């Protein structure tokens, strides 16, 4: 049975006005298609933690836990896994050792790939330039082959390629038509997204290990010098770059740290983790510290706080923290007691989702601070998470690494598990009482046994003279 | 330990003045320079053998209900108070909650940093913790001394121990000051070499401070005198280092590292973890009693005046 057309259902009565509208629309489409070389792909989660600010906030309507694993994708012939994914239309794009792969979000099947010349698995980034969706990524194992590359997503053609002074492992951030990244020599680069032209560089001592945050015409780059233990966040005007080598401001934590987390830009502050177990917020104008909150362990340099109504941060030991963005006051913490080296918390519809080194993905309710869902542990650490409509696409490291997608599971069940750091007095006192009774009894018996074979020597008081001992 | 002959008579009849082991002489030991006590002694020890001492310590605590059970309850109370302060930490660290100085002060400082970072609140916390700790250590020292004197570890022993509070507090303050200074000098200026020197400092401080509360309880001397007596005992030809080293590696190092559940952060230790903590606490108190016994045996041999320099 054929479906009836609009004319059949409603009675076809085309008016002149309708024809006129159709004509105008047609002309507009033709003109637009002529003016733009190719239609830009709709861009979703365009870069590390979603945007240039690294907000890490997904859509309000989900996907909601519980989840189930929908598909996995592995890079052919590689045992290192893939970088953080970015989302363009119906594909997730991630960087592998030998190539950059676009994977169908519905099926996990490879749609296309472009070759890559090795190098660290750093997060790529998507931006719009000249009507195109441009994918920007870095490649190269050494300073001679290191480069930042721009690719037209629609045609999978290389648009430009710009050489770098050293290997880059920071990942790329795109904001306002410019791509920002850093390298292992402490140089921060600004590259024109359309042409790949190098706009400016900022040179500092150390390494840029994570992608800069950008917004409001300013780039905020985290720079770590492992040798001296000095770390800094440097703010640079995105348009002009450093003036006479000088940044707008530089923040150095009062206690020397070994590394910094990836910074997250909020409307009123920049939030960054310092390896001395601190989460700090910096004033955007001058970089002074607005507040700091102590964490139980140091944050990972590969992780960024998520910034929604609360700031959600994680640490290397599996701690997840929600703090008030204005004051840094801790609202709650959840201790997962599993390493988290590569994953950043992502906020999705009232939950924060984070990956762990044992391969688990877990969801915590932001309201109640309870764990509501956890995937089974798997082979390979879960890295950065991208939110793509109705799926979460996570990077997985290791031999069977790649991308793994989770979607809502209507048959799954939520749990409610409080953090182990929340005191459960009946449980705690009960365990103590049992141990107290058992250990006391054993030691008392041990003492009696010893006393049946040996004696406790008795020694006179200091006032009684200077000699003698007595066996009991 | 010696073979038991019979159940002991009441304290006043059984207790006799302390006498040094027969192979020791009353002649004052020679000085061997700063920290000479950390190395092999040139002469016979004024202290009883290490394992005999340890056996006495283990036996004294296991057969004295106050020494055995009170520290267990104190550890639980400490944990509840720290949780009330907002601490999120691995309970395995409680193995060192009741310990010899300066390990105990390291515990307080680590807890203070976890709670407050290096702020003024940290200093307030550490000072408060040292006050409370001094009361506990003084009381335990009083009971341990009383036990070896043949007493019944009564309330009187606790009160007698509390008389040593000023000296014990001074010991904890000195521990904190020296550890802080050591951290600045060793880690700040010397880099990797500082790690070894920091361990050396800890061993030296344990060697001296293990006697201080006992001297204060036994001899009721001034703070300065108690420190000097403990220092002279520690640097006498003693063979003191093996016991100090055994303590250091058995409890602060191994005990603090291999707890059930590893370093998991939880407010609710399991039965196994509590049992581990309580056994560790027993060993801590047993070491305190061991040093009390050693001091009491060697007490007459510890010179009143500084030994002549060789």
């Amino acid at each position: 049975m054929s479906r009836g057309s609009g004319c059949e259902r409603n009675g076809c009565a085309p008016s002149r006005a309708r024809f006129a509208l159709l004509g105008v629309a047609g002309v507009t489409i033709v003109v637009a298609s002529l003016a733009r070389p190719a239609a830009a792909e709709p861009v979703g989660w365009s870069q590390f933690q979603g945007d240039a600010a690294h907000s890490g906030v997904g859509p309000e309507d989900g996907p909601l836990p519980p989840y189930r694993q929908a598909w996995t994708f592995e890079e052919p012939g590689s045992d290192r896994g893939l970088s953080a994914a970015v989302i363009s239309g119906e594909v997730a794009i991630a960087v592998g050792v030998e190539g950059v792969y676009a994977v169908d979000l519905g099926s996990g099947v490879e749609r296309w790939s472009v070759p890559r010349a090795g190098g660290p698995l750093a997060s790529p980034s998507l931006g719009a330039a000249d009507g195109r969706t441009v994918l920007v990524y870095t490649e190269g194992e050494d300073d001679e082959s290191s480069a930042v590359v721009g690719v037209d997503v629609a045609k999978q053609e290389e648009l430009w390629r710009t050489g770098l002074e050293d290997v880059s492992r920071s990942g790329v951030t795109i904001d306002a038509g410019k791509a920002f990244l850093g390298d292992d020599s402490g140089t921060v680069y600004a590259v024109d997204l359309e042409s790949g032209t190098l706009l400016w560089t900022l040179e500092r001592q150390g390494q840029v290990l994570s992608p800069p945050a950008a917004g409001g015409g300013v780039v905020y780059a985290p720079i770590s010098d492992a040798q001296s233990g000095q770390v800094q966040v440097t703010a640079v005007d995105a348009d002009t770059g450093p003036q006479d080598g000088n940044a707008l401001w530089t923040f150095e934590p009062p206690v020397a740290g070994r590394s910094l987390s990836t910074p997250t830009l909020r409307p009123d502050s920049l939030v960054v983790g310092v390896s001395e177990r601190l989460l700090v917020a910096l004033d955007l104008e001058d970089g002074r510290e607005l507040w700091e909150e102590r964490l139980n362990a140091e944050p990972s340099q590969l992780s960024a706080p998520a910034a929604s109504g609360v700031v959600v941060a994680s640490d290397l030991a599996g701690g997840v923290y929600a703090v008030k963005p204005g004051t840094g006051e801790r609202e709650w913490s959840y201790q997962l007691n599993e390493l988290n080296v590569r994953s950043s918390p992502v906020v999705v519809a009232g939950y924060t989702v984070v990956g762990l080194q044992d391969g688990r993905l877990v969801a915590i309710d932001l309201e109640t601070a309870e764990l509501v869902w956890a995937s089974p542990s798997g082979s390979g650490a879960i890295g950065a998470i991208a939110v793509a409509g109705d799926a979460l696409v996570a990077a997985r490291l290791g031999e069977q690494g790649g991308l793994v997608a989770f979607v809502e599971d209507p048959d799954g069940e939520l749990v409610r598990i409080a953090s182990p750091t929340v005191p459960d007095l009946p449980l705690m006192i009960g365990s103590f009482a049992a141990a107290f009774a058992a250990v006391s009894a054993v030691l008392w018996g041990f003492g009696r046994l010893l006393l049946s074979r040996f004696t406790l020597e008795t020694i006179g008081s200091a006032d009684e003279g200077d000699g003698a001992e007595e066996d009991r | 330990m010696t073979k038991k002959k019979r159940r002991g008579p009441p304290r006043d009849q059984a207790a006799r003045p302390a006498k040094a082991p027969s192979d020791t002489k009353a002649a004052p030991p020679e000085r061997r320079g700063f920290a000479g006590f950390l190395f092999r002694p040139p002469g016979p020890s004024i202290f009883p053998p290490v394992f005999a001492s340890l056996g006495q310590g283990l036996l004294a605590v296991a057969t004295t209900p106050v020494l055995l059970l009170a520290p267990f309850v104190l550890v639980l109370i400490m944990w509840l108070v720290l949780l009330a302060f907002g601490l999120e930490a691995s309970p395995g660290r409680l193995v060192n909650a009741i310990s010899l100085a300066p390990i105990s002060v390291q515990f307080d400082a680590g807890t203070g940093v976890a709670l407050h970072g290096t702020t003024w609140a940290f200093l307030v916390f550490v000072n408060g913790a040292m006050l409370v700790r001094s009361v506990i250590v003084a009381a335990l020292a009083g009971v341990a001394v009383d036990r070896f004197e043949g007493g019944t570890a009564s309330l009187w022993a606790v009160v007698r121990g509390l008389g040593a509070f000023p000296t014990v507090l001074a010991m904890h303050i000195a521990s904190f000051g020296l550890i802080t200074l050591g951290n600045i000098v060793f880690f700040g200026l010397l880099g990797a070499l500082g790690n070894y020197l920091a361990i050396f400092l800890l061993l030296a401080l344990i060697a001296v401070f293990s006697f201080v509360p006992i001297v204060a309880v036994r001899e009721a001397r001034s703070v300065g005198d108690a420190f000097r007596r403990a220092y002279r005992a520690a640097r006498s030809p003693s063979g003191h280092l093996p016991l100090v080293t055994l303590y250091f590696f058995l409890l602060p190092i191994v005990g603090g590292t291999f707890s059930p559940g590893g370093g998991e952060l939880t407010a609710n230790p399991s039965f196994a973890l509590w049992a581990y903590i309580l056994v560790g606490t027993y060993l801590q108190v047993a070491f305190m009693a061991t040093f009390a016994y050693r001091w009491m045996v060697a007490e007459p041999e510890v010179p009143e005046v500084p030994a002549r320099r060789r």
Side-chain angles (χ1 to χ4, degrees):
Chain A
M1 191 171 69
S2 65
R3 183 178 291 178
S5 70
C7 288
E8 289 167 343
R9 287 202 304 272
N10 304 328
C12 196
S15 65
R16 288 181 181 176
R18 184 173 293 175
F19 276 122
L21 282 173
L22 285 171
V24 170
V27 169
T28 304
I29 290 169
V30 169
V31 169
S33 63
L34 288 175
R36 300 183 175 205
E41 288 282 324
V43 172
W45 192 270
S46 65
Q47 42 202 308
F48 178 76
Q49 288 290 87
D51 54 27
H54 305 149
S55 306
V57 180
E60 282 295 320
D61 56 348
L64 295 167
Y67 305 111
R68 64 177 173 81
Q69 185 174 310
W71 51 260
T72 61
F73 171 81
E74 294 178 26
E75 182 185 22
S78 170
D79 59 359
R80 286 177 57 187
L82 293 172
S83 74
V86 294
I87 309 299
S88 175
E90 295 301 315
V91 294
I93 303 172
V95 168
V97 177
E98 303 294 336
V100 178
Y101 302 90
V103 180
D104 187 281
L105 278 172
S107 63
V109 173
E110 181 181 322
R111 286 270 195 90
W112 52 261
S113 66
V114 292
R116 177 174 182 262
L121 300 178
S123 171
S125 195
L126 290 164
D130 195 23
R132 300 185 184 94
T133 297
V134 181
L135 172 72
V136 183
Y137 62 92
T138 54
E139 67 177 21
E141 300 276 5
D142 51 41
D143 54 358
E144 290 189 357
S145 62
S146 183
V148 56
V149 183
V151 170
D152 182 346
V153 171
K155 297 179 179 176
Q156 298 100 52
E157 289 177 353
E158 185 173 311
L159 296 172
W160 46 262
R161 169 179 294 266
T162 303
L164 304 174
E165 294 172 11
D166 203 344
V167 173
S168 174
R169 66 186 73 243
S170 67
V172 181
T173 297
I174 293 178
D175 185 53
K178 301 180 189 68
F180 306 100
L181 63 146
D183 70 17
D184 281 357
S185 297
T187 302
V188 179
Y189 303 82
V191 178
D192 181 70
L193 187 60
E194 187 175 341
S195 63
T197 306
L198 187 61
L199 300 173
W200 53 259
T201 61
L202 168 75
E203 295 187 358
R204 288 287 185 271
Q205 189 75 29
Q207 286 179 289
V208 185
L209 297 167
S210 55
V218 180
V219 183
Y220 306 90
I223 302 170
S224 305
D225 187 355
Q227 288 185 334
S228 68
Q230 292 298 317
V231 295
Q232 60 179 247
V233 178
T234 300
V236 186
D237 187 294
D239 292 327
T240 63
Q243 300 298 302
D244 301 325
N246 295 321
L248 295 174
W249 52 258
T250 296
F251 166 79
E252 293 183 0
V255 179
R258 293 187 301 275
S259 64
L260 291 167
S261 80
T262 308
T264 298
L265 182 61
R266 286 183 43 79
D268 56 354
S269 61
L270 185 79
V271 183
V272 65
V274 181
S275 61
E276 292 302 319
R277 303 193 303 170
L278 290 174
L279 185 71
V280 300
L282 307 177
D283 189 288
L284 296 181
E285 291 296 319
D286 52 17
R288 73 189 155 85
E289 188 176 315
L290 299 172
W291 52 256
E292 68 178 36
E293 169 64 9
R294 183 153 291 276
L295 310 178
N296 292 331
E298 68 180 84
S300 166
Q301 63 200 15
L302 304 173
S303 172
S308 58
V310 293
V311 173
V312 183
S314 61
D315 68 29
L316 279 170
V320 181
Y321 309 82
V323 302
K324 292 179 179 173
T327 61
E329 182 186 344
R330 188 187 294 189
E331 292 200 343
W332 54 259
S333 69
Y334 197 102
Q335 191 61 42
L336 293 161
N337 282 321
E338 176 58 42
L339 284 176
N340 172 15
V341 178
R342 294 180 171 274
S343 185
S344 305
V346 164
V347 172
V348 185
Y351 298 92
T352 184
V353 182
V354 66
L356 298 172
Q357 201 74 356
D358 65 2
R360 282 184 297 157
L361 187 76
V362 302
I364 298 169
D365 189 328
L366 286 173
E367 277 293 316
T368 64
E370 293 170 313
L371 185 146
V372 295
W373 177 85
S375 73
S377 55
S379 57
I382 295 290
I385 302 161
V387 185
D390 58 355
L392 301 175
V393 181
R396 175 173 276 171
L397 281 296
E399 288 187 5
Q400 296 177 324
L403 295 179
V404 54
F406 295 88
V407 295
E408 289 186 11
D409 182 4
D411 299 327
E413 289 185 1
L414 292 179
V415 294
R416 292 279 171 188
I417 302 173
S419 171
T421 49
V422 175
D424 181 341
L425 280 179
L427 175 67
M428 184 207 309
I429 302 294
S431 301
F432 174 81
F436 180 90
V439 172
S440 301
V442 168
L443 291 176
W444 186 255
F446 171 68
R448 293 289 117 188
L449 179 69
L450 284 180
L451 209 53
S452 69
R453 302 189 62 188
F454 304 101
T455 188
L456 187 67
E457 290 191 23
T458 305
I459 303 159
S461 69
D463 303 332
E464 291 180 61
D466 64 349
E469 60 183 312
E470 174 77 5
D471 292 344
R472 289 183 63 182
Chain B
M1 282 182 287
T2 57
K3 187 72 179 173
K4 182 184 178 185
K5 295 172 182 171
R6 59 183 170 83
R7 293 286 294 176
R11 174 193 172 193
D12 290 343
Q13 297 167 23
R16 294 189 183 177
K19 184 180 75 175
S22 58
D23 58 348
T24 61
K25 303 297 180 188
E30 292 181 340
R31 292 178 71 171
R32 290 178 293 123
F34 174 72
F37 57 86
L38 287 175
F39 304 102
R40 185 175 176 80
S45 171
I46 64 171
F47 295 107
V50 166
F51 288 106
S53 304
L54 194 53
Q56 287 294 313
L58 291 167
L59 186 57
V61 176
T63 56
T64 311
V66 174
L67 281 178
L68 180 64
L69 304 182
F72 293 176
V73 177
L74 283 171
V75 166
L76 174 66
I77 293 170
M78 283 170 123
W79 183 238
L80 291 172
V81 169
L82 292 176
L83 290 179
F85 274 123
L87 181 71
E88 293 185 346
S90 168
R93 60 191 283 121
L94 288 172
V95 164
N96 293 317
I98 293 178
S99 54
L100 294 169
I103 302 302
S104 55
V105 176
Q106 272 196 327
F107 174 88
D108 294 337
T111 306
V113 168
L115 280 171
H116 303 295
T118 47
T119 60
W120 287 108
F122 159 78
L123 283 178
V124 172
F125 174 86
V126 170
N127 281 289
M130 286 195 297
L131 276 172
V132 175
R133 179 173 296 288
S134 298
V135 172
I136 294 170
V137 171
L140 288 175
V143 175
V145 166
D146 186 67
R147 188 73 173 106
F148 283 116
E149 288 177 351
T152 54
S154 61
L155 186 62
W156 176 86
V158 174
V159 172
R160 180 188 173 196
L162 291 178
F165 171 78
T167 305
V168 177
L169 179 61
M171 175 185 75
H172 286 130
I173 292 171
S175 296
F176 182 62
L178 289 167
I179 288 174
T180 305
L181 189 65
N183 282 343
I184 293 169
V185 173
F186 295 152
F187 297 120
L189 302 179
L190 300 177
L193 178 65
N195 290 323
Y196 300 102
L197 293 175
I199 291 174
F200 181 86
L201 175 69
L202 284 176
L203 288 171
L205 291 180
I206 294 169
V208 176
F209 290 165
S210 57
F211 290 139
V212 168
I214 313 304
V215 178
V217 171
R218 282 274 290 181
E219 302 184 357
R221 293 175 185 245
S222 67
V223 173
D225 271 355
F227 273 78
R228 278 188 284 272
R229 291 274 287 160
Y231 177 62
R232 282 178 205 131
R235 67 198 299 264
S236 66
S238 65
H240 197 40
L241 182 61
L243 190 60
V244 169
T245 307
L246 178 67
Y247 167 76
F248 182 70
F249 283 99
L250 184 65
L251 288 167
I253 301 294
V254 176
T257 306
F258 296 103
S259 57
E264 284 194 359
L265 273 64
T266 176
N268 312 297
S270 63
F271 167 81
L273 186 48
W274 271 126
Y276 182 85
I277 292 164
L278 296 184
V279 169
T281 302
Y282 163 70
L283 292 174
Q284 293 278 10
V285 181
F287 267 99
M288 285 185 197
T290 298
F291 287 113
Y293 170 77
R294 283 167 75 78
W295 169 265
M296 291 167 73
V297 170
E299 192 175 42
E301 309 300 321
V302 178
E304 282 290 341
V305 294
R308 62 186 168 79
R309 188 174 290 281
R310 184 164 54 182

